[in-house]
Amino acid sequence: MTTSWKQPVLLLLLALCAYLVPISTNGAWVVLAPLAAACSYLAGRHVSALAHGLLALGAGTLASGVTLAWSSHLSLLAFALNILTGLVLFALLPWWAGRARRNAVLFRSQERRHVVVQAELRERARIAEAMHDQLGHDLALLALSTGGLQVSLEKGTPAYEQAKRIREQADESIEHLHQIIGVLHEDGEQAPLGPAGSSLEQLVEQARAKGMKINFSRKGPSPQAPGSIRWAAVLRQVAQEALTNAAKYAPHAEVDLELDTRSEQAVLSISNPLHGPLPPSRVGATGIASLRGTLEAAGGSLAVHRTKERFELRASIAQASPHPAPAGVQPPVKRRSTSMLVLMPVLAVTVIAAALLLLQHATYQATALHPSDFQKLSVGMDARQVASLVHAPGLDEPLPVIDEPAPPGDAQCRYYAARTGLLDLGSEMFRLCFTENVLVSTDHLYPAG
């Protein structure tokens, strides 16, 4: 980060560049122009405020314009080309390039911070959902145990009513958990893995200890491959969600759970009978949808079939599935405003080039005399004959760089730029001197030195 004292120094250097480059001579340009471009770039790279940079450029340009106006008198149009050329090439464009680089660096820094913040938020949501899954599963088993206690107690007794209230409170707690996790859930976000550290067999034993009736069978070997931890954890999460739903909606029914790992696809099948009406869909429920998203992200699939009599769930996943990209991580998005960093300098150069062309055209029309027309002039012509060949008004004085000999007698002289066309930027001039509207002298003048 640029310290506070460096920014005023860089702004001062930027203003000096905008001032010195346009008024410098050809010899000084060799050294001054590269230095001005470097200083202007550094000012754009490290000065934070856009307005401050524009003010520095404007102040330097105004000062150089005033200096040229006082030193060149009526030849301001010719020197205006120097102002615009020096300002654009060696001050404005390098400053803009430095500012574009500054914006690009700041954007990447902000993007990295944004990715870190989003990753932290998603990790918190992942932990919250994992806690929700485990706690919801435990509460469902608690409700199941309380339901078993109700069956063993006589209806109408205080113990029976207390067990009933405990079961109802457990069901309400599960609903509250679903509502809370709905706030943390993002559309399209993959479900996180369930709590690690316990296998599918341990999950089944825990559910059985809480009173669930589970018929568990395995076909094929236990997970042994290095990549099996991933798909085994996914299938464990599927089983946990299914057992939680079974404990809540079919508390006294037997659950059939089968894991088949004999082929490349590990298949988990879970089914249980349903008693009574179908449970209504909860608003914001994400269990099955999150499981489907997790399985699809890992290259698997989830099929759910529900009728009035039975609920069936079938999950399959490749045992050699590759590691998917973390949930929510997206490739860097190309900044839309990048085109503006190129478009603005192009527009500035186009506008200034058009202004230079118009200025050069006006200068040519006002001061230029073509060498072929000059050759047609001869001493002794009157003003009317000269006007037929010379259409530009001309200047009252030559450019400061012109080495001018003394004019003849009391003659009145006009000065013209020796130009062959708009793109001719030479410094040579023609001098036409008149005495009583008669041409008495035609001179070809050259720059001094």
Side-chain angles (χ1 to χ4, degrees):
M1 184 175 180
T2 307
T3 55
S4 58
W5 65 267
K6 287 184 179 180
Q7 294 207 21
V9 172
L10 290 173
L11 287 172
L12 178 60
L13 289 176
L14 181 61
L16 285 176
C17 293
Y19 171 70
L20 293 176
V21 173
I23 67 174
S24 61
T25 60
N26 294 336
W29 266 47
V30 177
V31 177
L32 184 59
L35 289 177
C39 292
S40 299
Y41 175 84
L42 290 175
R45 177 70 177 82
H46 296 289
V47 175
S48 58
L50 174 64
H52 292 168
L54 293 176
L55 286 174
L57 287 171
T61 304
L62 180 62
S64 64
V66 172
T67 301
L68 288 175
W70 280 97
S71 63
S72 60
H73 302 290
L74 297 178
S75 58
L76 180 59
L77 287 178
F79 277 101
L81 296 174
N82 242 16
I83 295 177
L84 292 178
T85 302
L87 175 66
V88 172
L89 294 180
F90 302 107
L92 178 61
L93 289 183
W95 170 78
W96 186 266
R99 185 154 189 87
R101 174 62 180 169
R102 172 186 174 83
N103 292 340
V105 171
L106 288 177
F107 175 80
R108 285 196 292 270
S109 177
Q110 293 171 359
E111 189 177 49
R112 285 193 293 269
R113 287 197 297 270
H114 177 74
V115 170
V116 171
V117 171
Q118 291 299 316
E120 291 176 351
L121 293 176
R122 288 190 174 90
E123 178 63 14
R124 292 177 183 178
R126 186 195 72 82
I127 295 173
E129 287 201 55
M131 294 173 63
H132 158 267
D133 291 342
Q134 185 62 50
L135 188 55
H137 179 70
D138 293 340
L139 286 174
L141 295 181
L142 175 61
L144 176 65
S145 300
T146 308
L149 180 60
Q150 282 183 270
V151 174
S152 63
L153 296 174
E154 183 180 352
K155 289 185 178 181
T157 62
Y160 179 88
E161 295 299 327
Q162 185 67 22
K164 181 180 179 181
R165 283 194 296 270
I166 293 175
R167 177 178 174 81
E168 291 174 351
Q169 289 175 0
D171 290 339
E172 290 178 2
S173 298
I174 294 174
E175 290 298 328
H176 292 161
L177 276 176
H178 288 310
Q179 294 172 6
I180 292 172
I181 206 63
V183 176
L184 297 175
H185 179 73
E186 297 181 11
D187 293 337
E189 185 178 2
Q190 299 170 6
L193 294 178
S198 61
S199 64
L200 184 61
E201 288 82 357
Q202 291 173 325
L203 178 66
V204 171
E205 290 302 322
Q206 292 172 3
R208 284 173 174 170
K210 297 292 180 63
M212 288 195 72
K213 301 175 182 179
I214 303 175
N215 298 321
F216 176 66
S217 62
R218 175 190 292 277
K219 297 179 180 179
S222 300
Q224 298 293 337
S228 64
I229 297 177
R230 172 75 187 179
W231 65 259
V234 173
L235 292 184
R236 182 199 179 283
Q237 184 180 356
V238 173
Q240 178 176 284
E241 181 71 20
L243 292 177
T244 300
N245 291 337
K248 181 174 182 180
Y249 298 118
H252 303 296
E254 290 189 356
V255 180
D256 296 324
L257 193 151
E258 179 183 284
L259 177 62
D260 189 349
T261 58
R262 292 176 296 180
S263 63
E264 294 182 357
Q265 293 280 331
V267 180
L268 178 66
S269 301
I270 306 172
S271 64
N272 61 269
L274 293 176
H275 303 290
L278 292 176
S281 299
R282 292 193 317 273
V283 178
T286 60
I288 298 299
S290 296
L291 292 179
R292 179 174 283 109
T294 300
L295 280 163
E296 291 177 352
S301 62
L302 179 69
V304 177
H305 183 65
R306 184 172 66 174
T307 64
K308 292 182 178 181
E309 293 80 18
R310 198 165 187 81
F311 178 86
E312 298 179 359
L313 183 148
R314 179 183 175 88
S316 62
I317 185 173
Q319 297 190 51
S321 58
H323 294 280
V329 176
Q330 301 292 335
V333 180
K334 188 175 180 179
R335 182 175 43 167
R336 294 183 179 180
S337 60
T338 302
S339 59
M340 294 300 296
L341 298 178
V342 179
L343 182 60
M344 289 301 292
V346 170
L347 288 177
V349 171
T350 302
V351 171
I352 292 175
L356 287 174
L357 183 61
L358 292 175
L359 180 60
Q360 177 67 1
H361 178 73
T363 303
Y364 183 83
Q365 293 294 325
T367 65
L369 175 60
H370 199 281
S372 62
D373 293 330
F374 178 75
Q375 295 296 328
K376 297 176 183 179
L377 298 173
S378 59
V379 175
M381 286 183 172
D382 58 27
R384 182 176 296 180
Q385 292 174 317
V386 173
S388 65
L389 297 172
V390 181
H391 305 290
L395 301 174
D396 294 331
E397 295 181 3
L399 297 177
V401 296
I402 293 296
D403 187 8
E404 179 188 13
D410 58 349
Q412 295 181 348
C413 301
R414 300 292 294 174
Y415 299 86
Y416 301 88
R419 303 288 174 84
T420 58
L422 287 177
L423 299 181
D424 185 355
L425 303 178
S427 300
E428 299 177 12
M429 299 193 76
F430 297 129
R431 185 180 67 178
L432 305 181
C433 297
F434 296 84
T435 300
E436 296 180 353
N437 291 329
V438 176
L439 183 62
V440 296
S441 173
T442 59
D443 300 295
H444 193 161
L445 308 180
Y446 299 91

